[in-house]
Amino acid sequence: MRSNLISVRAVLLSAAALQGFVVPSAYAQDTAAAPATTTATDPAAPAPAPQDEPTTEDIIVTGIRASLASATNAKREAVTFGDSIFAEDIGKLPATNLAETLNRMPGVRLNRDINGEGTQVAIRGLGPSFTRVLLNGSQLQVASDGGTNGGSANREVDLDFFPSELFTRLDLAKSPTPSTLEGGIAGTVNLRNARPFDKEGTHITAVAQGQYTDSNGKISPRGALVASHTTDTFGILVGVAGVKTKTRVDGFETVGWGDGNLPCGTGCTDAGNNNWNWASVVPANAGHGLVAGQPVDVVETSGLTASQLSTALLPRLGRNSLTTGNRSRISALASLEWRPSDELHFALDGIWARSKRDYTKVNMNWQVRNSGPGTGAQATGGMIPIDLTVDENNVVTSGTFANSSFFLEASLFKQTTKFWNINPSVTWQPSDTVKVEASANWSKSSFFREQPTFAFQTAPNSGVDVYYDNTGASNRPLITTNVDLNDPNLGWQWYRQNIQLVRRSTDTKGAHLDTTIGDDQFSVKFGGAYDRAERSIRAYDNSSAYQLSVCGTGCTGATGSVPTSSIAQYLKQFPVSNFGHLASGSVGYNAFVVPDFDALKAATNYASYRDSAPEARGAVTGGATGDMDEEVFGAYFELNGVTQLFGRDLHANAGMRYAHTRQVVVGPSQVGTTIVDITAKSNYDNFLPSINLTYDLMDNVKLRASASRTMTRPDAGQILPGITFSDPSALVATAGNPDLTPYTSDNYDLGGEIYTGGIGYVGLSAFMKNIKGFTETQVTSATFGSLNIPFDSLLSTQQDALRNRAAASGVAINNLPITVNRPVNLSDLRIKGIEATWVQPLDFLFQGLGFSANGTYLDQSSSSGLVATGVSKYSYNLQGFYENHGLSVSLNYVWNDKSIAVNGPQNNIQGAALRSDARGQLDLSAGYQLPFLNDAMRLTLDVLNITNEPIRTTFEYTNAAYSVYYPGRQVLVGIRANF
């Protein structure tokens, strides 16, 4: 179903734009003002009235200006609030996928993977799960999980899966019509794939590019081939696009910040984390004039007061991280159109895609979390803080930490996502006043992630010092040490081994029927829809059995297949010599040992343990597991008409949508020593009214108003029952809530545009969303014993953490307090915003010059104090372009203000949230039409992230870096041929 009702004139204009405007030469510099020629794109379109044409020769105008003209005309003719991007624009913007392309629209923000590539879009201050993504008007679901670090639960759609070369139009509806499929409070994005009658005749387009990434100095291939042929009644289009990228990302991670376990004294409030213990007795080899075995006063050695030291914040795992490998994607499209008559139009679209990530990720962790006296692999004796300094927030800014420990955490990411979708449709228009549209869709998507992890630590009490500098010289703490972390013979010991797998599948099917009765002056549209989506997320874990085989009971390394004495032969020196070269300064230590994965897997019989892994309750990415089956029955009626008000046209779109949802969720839960599935069922109904009004105040001025109610179903990961206990420190558990109800939002929009001629216009709109039932995370405390999780089912790191906490506090393990996070429908949320857009040709200054600019202001509030994550208060997008004499250049700058990435409390520290830094990205796209072969060949150049901006998140405070990634610049050079 289409998200917007666009008049016949707009359809003709849009179709003409996809093929290039044909305009009289007298108007060639003002293409949007010229009448578009008739095309065969819409068989139902009536023939235009004869017009007097100039005797001068016609000029075909294509490129950036043509696509902007198409978008301007579509916006002008639409009754609703929204934006569009057309084929020429998609091809010319510096974008590697559809997510990057949508980022140019007002109010759109990208979620980026660690390599800087956009994956998901968030609209008007709400996360990706609040945006409904459609493919040719039908539901779209992909089983992928949000990128390298993963964890999303499938309401989101990873748009990096889809190459821009196979699509001709993207529409973003910010105010709904009754015929819009429900499920998008933030908005609805409709992706329209290429079809043969978009460009009649026989055509072949070939794209070949080399992609250079300065993070690794490598060149990767990209390419696409699209061919189409039409006769009078039949058309076929086939296309394929592929990329294989050599990936390298240098980064810094912490997994949060915390404070040590130290009573802070009378009148002091502890921050509340306490997930490590300072040394109480001087360990062996501590140095610094300290005598082994003697009591130590860590307050005195630190130089701080007891109150300061007890709340002093350090990174739980300060670690340099290197991710390397290959990412490949191949996508194929086939589209058939048959038009046996002007009244009847059949189409069949099929898309197939496969994406692979084959990465190695190695982290060298400064082991602050869980350090201290205790038992098991993590027992280190505890650190001794020496000469610390802290700032006004008690974030540690410098100091020395005697008796420190490091551990190497090395993982393989082997991840495969597959997807196919079939979408048949038919349009029948038996008369000028009756139109029937029917469509169906079937899709299937699968995802598999294999992630083995091998971890080794420095020997406890071996005299390791850490010198810590967080004084602001870099955008992350600098950690250095007195030992060579790149020495395989340093005396490494086993820490742990994990075998963890995730399988996802998503199946969808649906059918839609729409009937329109009437003409351009007044029509009634009504229809129904059936959509079903079945999702499954299942995790498998054989870590305990594998660890017992590899390093023996307690991971002592004495009895397993790889004893401690043999570890050195399975370690190699760091694979790169310039780690951190894209950072603005020092990154601390810049080399450390890495494992020989192939040798370790062969020596430990890894494959057999992987293939026999039993089901687990929590995924390696930390997300919930289980199954969800949703059936939605929808029906609507819609009125469209034009009337006169004060002698000017008033366009109206109004009606009601009804949706009935049947939902079944199944989640694995531990009962004794067995995992059983718990099933929960729910049914609910939603009535969603909407009205859209557009008033032609003047020939070039439009005023718009909209009021609507929209809904979004609860996040799939939050409604799955059961408890996930994936925190390595054994501090936090996450519980699902199958009783969550949908979020509903009452929306109000007011705005308009002034059309200045040609592609130019100035637009301003204000909006407000009042969201009910917004999910709030309720934080409660429960004892470990009450969670009904067998101790033996935990990872060794969790077992050691619980033992250490029990020993330090003198409390039995089953009585240890555990924080439980559970989502509940408690909050209201109000989002208010203003969007401004200005598109302007500058031919009066320089022929072919122009710009497009848009900006968004957002403000949000709630009675609970919690807010929607990923909301930037300010954001803007600037595009300057030049197009003339065969040369086109587009320079784009997208900037987003800082935002909350994850609401607090984080790591049990009240008021601490994760915050994304403000970030701007400058991109360039250029092309030159070679003056031979009938202008069929075009050289292309794209440069992404020109200013080498990192991606940075902080733990509440600006100098408490949570993660920093340096994706670097990308340069794409290639050739595009059209025949």
Side-chain angles (χ1 to χ4, degrees), residues 774-798:
F774 191 74
T775 298
E776 178 180 335
T777 299
Q778 192 175 63
V779 181
T780 59
S781 182
T783 63
F784 174 76
S786 69
L787 300 180
N788 194 30
I789 298 175
F791 183 81
D792 292 341
S793 70
L794 300 180
L795 299 176
S796 61
T797 52
Q798 295 170 331

PDB file of all heavy atoms in Angstrom, residues 774-798:
ATOM      1  N   PHE A 774       4.993   4.647  26.888  1.00  0.00           N
ATOM      2  CA  PHE A 774       6.413   4.549  26.560  1.00  0.00           C
ATOM      3  C   PHE A 774       7.108   3.665  27.584  1.00  0.00           C
ATOM      4  O   PHE A 774       6.882   3.764  28.783  1.00  0.00           O
ATOM      5  CB  PHE A 774       7.043   5.945  26.541  1.00  0.00           C
ATOM      6  CG  PHE A 774       8.420   5.973  25.954  1.00  0.00           C
ATOM      7  CD1 PHE A 774       8.607   5.840  24.590  1.00  0.00           C
ATOM      8  CD2 PHE A 774       9.528   6.127  26.759  1.00  0.00           C
ATOM      9  CE1 PHE A 774       9.868   5.875  24.039  1.00  0.00           C
ATOM     10  CE2 PHE A 774      10.791   6.167  26.223  1.00  0.00           C
ATOM     11  CZ  PHE A 774      10.966   6.037  24.864  1.00  0.00           C
ATOM     12  N   THR A 775       7.976   2.790  27.097  1.00  0.00           N
ATOM     13  CA  THR A 775       8.584   1.796  27.973  1.00  0.00           C
ATOM     14  C   THR A 775       9.632   2.430  28.876  1.00  0.00           C
ATOM     15  O   THR A 775      10.506   3.168  28.424  1.00  0.00           O
ATOM     16  CB  THR A 775       9.241   0.683  27.143  1.00  0.00           C
ATOM     17  OG1 THR A 775       8.233   0.033  26.378  1.00  0.00           O
ATOM     18  CG2 THR A 775       9.902  -0.334  28.042  1.00  0.00           C
ATOM     19  N   GLU A 776       9.513   2.121  30.148  1.00  0.00           N
ATOM     20  CA  GLU A 776      10.491   2.547  31.146  1.00  0.00           C
ATOM     21  C   GLU A 776      11.102   1.297  31.763  1.00  0.00           C
ATOM     22  O   GLU A 776      10.410   0.314  32.024  1.00  0.00           O
ATOM     23  CB  GLU A 776       9.806   3.392  32.228  1.00  0.00           C
ATOM     24  CG  GLU A 776      10.714   3.840  33.349  1.00  0.00           C
ATOM     25  CD  GLU A 776       9.967   4.664  34.375  1.00  0.00           C
ATOM     26  OE1 GLU A 776       8.933   5.261  34.015  1.00  0.00           O
ATOM     27  OE2 GLU A 776      10.393   4.700  35.537  1.00  0.00           O
ATOM     28  N   THR A 777      12.404   1.321  31.980  1.00  0.00           N
ATOM     29  CA  THR A 777      13.068   0.195  32.621  1.00  0.00           C
ATOM     30  C   THR A 777      12.938   0.329  34.128  1.00  0.00           C
ATOM     31  O   THR A 777      13.422   1.292  34.724  1.00  0.00           O
ATOM     32  CB  THR A 777      14.549   0.127  32.226  1.00  0.00           C
ATOM     33  OG1 THR A 777      14.638  -0.057  30.812  1.00  0.00           O
ATOM     34  CG2 THR A 777      15.235  -1.039  32.912  1.00  0.00           C
ATOM     35  N   GLN A 778      12.261  -0.612  34.730  1.00  0.00           N
ATOM     36  CA  GLN A 778      12.069  -0.612  36.180  1.00  0.00           C
ATOM     37  C   GLN A 778      13.204  -1.409  36.807  1.00  0.00           C
ATOM     38  O   GLN A 778      13.436  -2.573  36.482  1.00  0.00           O
ATOM     39  CB  GLN A 778      10.715  -1.234  36.518  1.00  0.00           C
ATOM     40  CG  GLN A 778      10.274  -1.043  37.954  1.00  0.00           C
ATOM     41  CD  GLN A 778       8.867  -1.577  38.159  1.00  0.00           C
ATOM     42  OE1 GLN A 778       8.628  -2.767  38.006  1.00  0.00           O
ATOM     43  NE2 GLN A 778       7.934  -0.708  38.481  1.00  0.00           N
ATOM     44  N   VAL A 779      13.936  -0.752  37.693  1.00  0.00           N
ATOM     45  CA  VAL A 779      15.098  -1.367  38.327  1.00  0.00           C
ATOM     46  C   VAL A 779      14.710  -1.851  39.716  1.00  0.00           C
ATOM     47  O   VAL A 779      14.264  -1.064  40.564  1.00  0.00           O
ATOM     48  CB  VAL A 779      16.274  -0.374  38.416  1.00  0.00           C
ATOM     49  CG1 VAL A 779      17.489  -1.037  39.049  1.00  0.00           C
ATOM     50  CG2 VAL A 779      16.623   0.161  37.032  1.00  0.00           C
ATOM     51  N   THR A 780      14.857  -3.144  39.956  1.00  0.00           N
ATOM     52  CA  THR A 780      14.565  -3.728  41.265  1.00  0.00           C
ATOM     53  C   THR A 780      15.755  -4.575  41.699  1.00  0.00           C
ATOM     54  O   THR A 780      16.653  -4.861  40.914  1.00  0.00           O
ATOM     55  CB  THR A 780      13.300  -4.600  41.217  1.00  0.00           C
ATOM     56  OG1 THR A 780      13.489  -5.657  40.254  1.00  0.00           O
ATOM     57  CG2 THR A 780      12.085  -3.780  40.832  1.00  0.00           C
ATOM     58  N   SER A 781      15.747  -4.959  42.957  1.00  0.00           N
ATOM     59  CA  SER A 781      16.813  -5.806  43.488  1.00  0.00           C
ATOM     60  C   SER A 781      16.220  -7.141  43.918  1.00  0.00           C
ATOM     61  O   SER A 781      15.130  -7.196  44.497  1.00  0.00           O
ATOM     62  CB  SER A 781      17.494  -5.116  44.679  1.00  0.00           C
ATOM     63  OG  SER A 781      18.566  -5.902  45.165  1.00  0.00           O
ATOM     64  N   ALA A 782      16.923  -8.205  43.598  1.00  0.00           N
ATOM     65  CA  ALA A 782      16.496  -9.548  43.988  1.00  0.00           C
ATOM     66  C   ALA A 782      17.736 -10.344  44.361  1.00  0.00           C
ATOM     67  O   ALA A 782      18.855 -10.020  43.942  1.00  0.00           O
ATOM     68  CB  ALA A 782      15.744 -10.229  42.844  1.00  0.00           C
ATOM     69  N   THR A 783      17.547 -11.374  45.176  1.00  0.00           N
ATOM     70  CA  THR A 783      18.686 -12.222  45.515  1.00  0.00           C
ATOM     71  C   THR A 783      18.980 -13.169  44.363  1.00  0.00           C
ATOM     72  O   THR A 783      18.092 -13.502  43.567  1.00  0.00           O
ATOM     73  CB  THR A 783      18.400 -13.038  46.785  1.00  0.00           C
ATOM     74  OG1 THR A 783      17.288 -13.910  46.538  1.00  0.00           O
ATOM     75  CG2 THR A 783      18.098 -12.115  47.962  1.00  0.00           C
ATOM     76  N   PHE A 784      20.215 -13.597  44.272  1.00  0.00           N
ATOM     77  CA  PHE A 784      20.579 -14.508  43.193  1.00  0.00           C
ATOM     78  C   PHE A 784      19.747 -15.791  43.257  1.00  0.00           C
ATOM     79  O   PHE A 784      19.302 -16.306  42.237  1.00  0.00           O
ATOM     80  CB  PHE A 784      22.071 -14.843  43.265  1.00  0.00           C
ATOM     81  CG  PHE A 784      22.485 -15.891  42.272  1.00  0.00           C
ATOM     82  CD1 PHE A 784      22.622 -15.573  40.932  1.00  0.00           C
ATOM     83  CD2 PHE A 784      22.714 -17.202  42.662  1.00  0.00           C
ATOM     84  CE1 PHE A 784      22.982 -16.533  40.002  1.00  0.00           C
ATOM     85  CE2 PHE A 784      23.070 -18.176  41.750  1.00  0.00           C
ATOM     86  CZ  PHE A 784      23.205 -17.839  40.402  1.00  0.00           C
ATOM     87  N   GLY A 785      19.520 -16.299  44.459  1.00  0.00           N
ATOM     88  CA  GLY A 785      18.754 -17.532  44.606  1.00  0.00           C
ATOM     89  C   GLY A 785      17.341 -17.415  44.071  1.00  0.00           C
ATOM     90  O   GLY A 785      16.776 -18.390  43.570  1.00  0.00           O
ATOM     91  N   SER A 786      16.725 -16.219  44.168  1.00  0.00           N
ATOM     92  CA  SER A 786      15.344 -16.051  43.719  1.00  0.00           C
ATOM     93  C   SER A 786      15.215 -16.026  42.200  1.00  0.00           C
ATOM     94  O   SER A 786      14.111 -16.122  41.670  1.00  0.00           O
ATOM     95  CB  SER A 786      14.761 -14.756  44.294  1.00  0.00           C
ATOM     96  OG  SER A 786      15.392 -13.621  43.708  1.00  0.00           O
ATOM     97  N   LEU A 787      16.337 -15.890  41.464  1.00  0.00           N
ATOM     98  CA  LEU A 787      16.281 -15.852  39.999  1.00  0.00           C
ATOM     99  C   LEU A 787      16.106 -17.234  39.380  1.00  0.00           C
ATOM    100  O   LEU A 787      15.879 -17.346  38.182  1.00  0.00           O
ATOM    101  CB  LEU A 787      17.554 -15.210  39.442  1.00  0.00           C
ATOM    102  CG  LEU A 787      17.851 -13.771  39.876  1.00  0.00           C
ATOM    103  CD1 LEU A 787      19.141 -13.287  39.243  1.00  0.00           C
ATOM    104  CD2 LEU A 787      16.707 -12.845  39.536  1.00  0.00           C
ATOM    105  N   ASN A 788      16.246 -18.280  40.191  1.00  0.00           N
ATOM    106  CA  ASN A 788      16.086 -19.659  39.718  1.00  0.00           C
ATOM    107  C   ASN A 788      17.058 -19.978  38.589  1.00  0.00           C
ATOM    108  O   ASN A 788      16.706 -20.615  37.588  1.00  0.00           O
ATOM    109  CB  ASN A 788      14.642 -19.907  39.269  1.00  0.00           C
ATOM    110  CG  ASN A 788      14.344 -21.394  39.107  1.00  0.00           C
ATOM    111  OD1 ASN A 788      14.927 -22.216  39.803  1.00  0.00           O
ATOM    112  ND2 ASN A 788      13.442 -21.718  38.194  1.00  0.00           N
ATOM    113  N   ILE A 789      18.299 -19.502  38.733  1.00  0.00           N
ATOM    114  CA  ILE A 789      19.345 -19.771  37.751  1.00  0.00           C
ATOM    115  C   ILE A 789      20.393 -20.647  38.416  1.00  0.00           C
ATOM    116  O   ILE A 789      21.047 -20.224  39.366  1.00  0.00           O
ATOM    117  CB  ILE A 789      19.987 -18.464  37.260  1.00  0.00           C
ATOM    118  CG1 ILE A 789      18.935 -17.581  36.563  1.00  0.00           C
ATOM    119  CG2 ILE A 789      21.142 -18.756  36.312  1.00  0.00           C
ATOM    120  CD1 ILE A 789      19.465 -16.231  36.148  1.00  0.00           C
ATOM    121  N   PRO A 790      20.570 -21.897  37.981  1.00  0.00           N
ATOM    122  CA  PRO A 790      21.571 -22.763  38.593  1.00  0.00           C
ATOM    123  C   PRO A 790      22.974 -22.163  38.486  1.00  0.00           C
ATOM    124  O   PRO A 790      23.371 -21.667  37.433  1.00  0.00           O
ATOM    125  CB  PRO A 790      21.453 -24.070  37.788  1.00  0.00           C
ATOM    126  CG  PRO A 790      20.097 -24.022  37.184  1.00  0.00           C
ATOM    127  CD  PRO A 790      19.811 -22.583  36.927  1.00  0.00           C
ATOM    128  N   PHE A 791      23.696 -22.222  39.584  1.00  0.00           N
ATOM    129  CA  PHE A 791      25.051 -21.672  39.609  1.00  0.00           C
ATOM    130  C   PHE A 791      25.925 -22.342  38.551  1.00  0.00           C
ATOM    131  O   PHE A 791      26.733 -21.688  37.887  1.00  0.00           O
ATOM    132  CB  PHE A 791      25.647 -21.857  41.008  1.00  0.00           C
ATOM    133  CG  PHE A 791      27.009 -21.257  41.177  1.00  0.00           C
ATOM    134  CD1 PHE A 791      27.165 -19.898  41.418  1.00  0.00           C
ATOM    135  CD2 PHE A 791      28.152 -22.049  41.095  1.00  0.00           C
ATOM    136  CE1 PHE A 791      28.426 -19.339  41.571  1.00  0.00           C
ATOM    137  CE2 PHE A 791      29.415 -21.499  41.245  1.00  0.00           C
ATOM    138  CZ  PHE A 791      29.550 -20.139  41.483  1.00  0.00           C
ATOM    139  N   ASP A 792      25.760 -23.628  38.354  1.00  0.00           N
ATOM    140  CA  ASP A 792      26.594 -24.370  37.410  1.00  0.00           C
ATOM    141  C   ASP A 792      26.341 -23.972  35.962  1.00  0.00           C
ATOM    142  O   ASP A 792      27.158 -24.270  35.083  1.00  0.00           O
ATOM    143  CB  ASP A 792      26.372 -25.885  37.561  1.00  0.00           C
ATOM    144  CG  ASP A 792      26.892 -26.405  38.898  1.00  0.00           C
ATOM    145  OD1 ASP A 792      27.715 -25.703  39.527  1.00  0.00           O
ATOM    146  OD2 ASP A 792      26.463 -27.499  39.307  1.00  0.00           O
ATOM    147  N   SER A 793      25.201 -23.321  35.695  1.00  0.00           N
ATOM    148  CA  SER A 793      24.895 -22.927  34.320  1.00  0.00           C
ATOM    149  C   SER A 793      25.566 -21.615  33.933  1.00  0.00           C
ATOM    150  O   SER A 793      25.529 -21.231  32.770  1.00  0.00           O
ATOM    151  CB  SER A 793      23.379 -22.788  34.132  1.00  0.00           C
ATOM    152  OG  SER A 793      22.884 -21.663  34.841  1.00  0.00           O
ATOM    153  N   LEU A 794      26.206 -20.935  34.880  1.00  0.00           N
ATOM    154  CA  LEU A 794      26.832 -19.647  34.608  1.00  0.00           C
ATOM    155  C   LEU A 794      28.191 -19.832  33.938  1.00  0.00           C
ATOM    156  O   LEU A 794      28.826 -20.885  34.053  1.00  0.00           O
ATOM    157  CB  LEU A 794      27.009 -18.853  35.909  1.00  0.00           C
ATOM    158  CG  LEU A 794      25.746 -18.523  36.701  1.00  0.00           C
ATOM    159  CD1 LEU A 794      26.114 -17.737  37.952  1.00  0.00           C
ATOM    160  CD2 LEU A 794      24.755 -17.750  35.856  1.00  0.00           C
ATOM    161  N   LEU A 795      28.636 -18.766  33.280  1.00  0.00           N
ATOM    162  CA  LEU A 795      29.988 -18.752  32.761  1.00  0.00           C
ATOM    163  C   LEU A 795      30.978 -18.740  33.919  1.00  0.00           C
ATOM    164  O   LEU A 795      30.665 -18.305  35.023  1.00  0.00           O
ATOM    165  CB  LEU A 795      30.206 -17.511  31.890  1.00  0.00           C
ATOM    166  CG  LEU A 795      29.319 -17.360  30.645  1.00  0.00           C
ATOM    167  CD1 LEU A 795      29.596 -16.026  29.963  1.00  0.00           C
ATOM    168  CD2 LEU A 795      29.534 -18.503  29.684  1.00  0.00           C
ATOM    169  N   SER A 796      32.182 -19.192  33.653  1.00  0.00           N
ATOM    170  CA  SER A 796      33.186 -19.236  34.722  1.00  0.00           C
ATOM    171  C   SER A 796      33.470 -17.850  35.280  1.00  0.00           C
ATOM    172  O   SER A 796      33.710 -17.688  36.480  1.00  0.00           O
ATOM    173  CB  SER A 796      34.476 -19.872  34.199  1.00  0.00           C
ATOM    174  OG  SER A 796      35.008 -19.098  33.130  1.00  0.00           O
ATOM    175  N   THR A 797      33.434 -16.829  34.393  1.00  0.00           N
ATOM    176  CA  THR A 797      33.670 -15.467  34.879  1.00  0.00           C
ATOM    177  C   THR A 797      32.573 -15.036  35.848  1.00  0.00           C
ATOM    178  O   THR A 797      32.838 -14.350  36.841  1.00  0.00           O
ATOM    179  CB  THR A 797      33.720 -14.494  33.702  1.00  0.00           C
ATOM    180  OG1 THR A 797      32.559 -14.672  32.888  1.00  0.00           O
ATOM    181  CG2 THR A 797      34.962 -14.738  32.859  1.00  0.00           C
ATOM    182  N   GLN A 798      31.325 -15.410  35.568  1.00  0.00           N
ATOM    183  CA  GLN A 798      30.231 -15.069  36.466  1.00  0.00           C
ATOM    184  C   GLN A 798      30.347 -15.842  37.780  1.00  0.00           C
ATOM    185  O   GLN A 798      30.108 -15.288  38.863  1.00  0.00           O
ATOM    186  CB  GLN A 798      28.891 -15.356  35.777  1.00  0.00           C
ATOM    187  CG  GLN A 798      28.636 -14.489  34.553  1.00  0.00           C
ATOM    188  CD  GLN A 798      27.432 -14.943  33.758  1.00  0.00           C
ATOM    189  OE1 GLN A 798      27.087 -16.129  33.743  1.00  0.00           O
ATOM    190  NE2 GLN A 798      26.786 -14.019  33.071  1.00  0.00           N
TER     191      GLN A 798
END
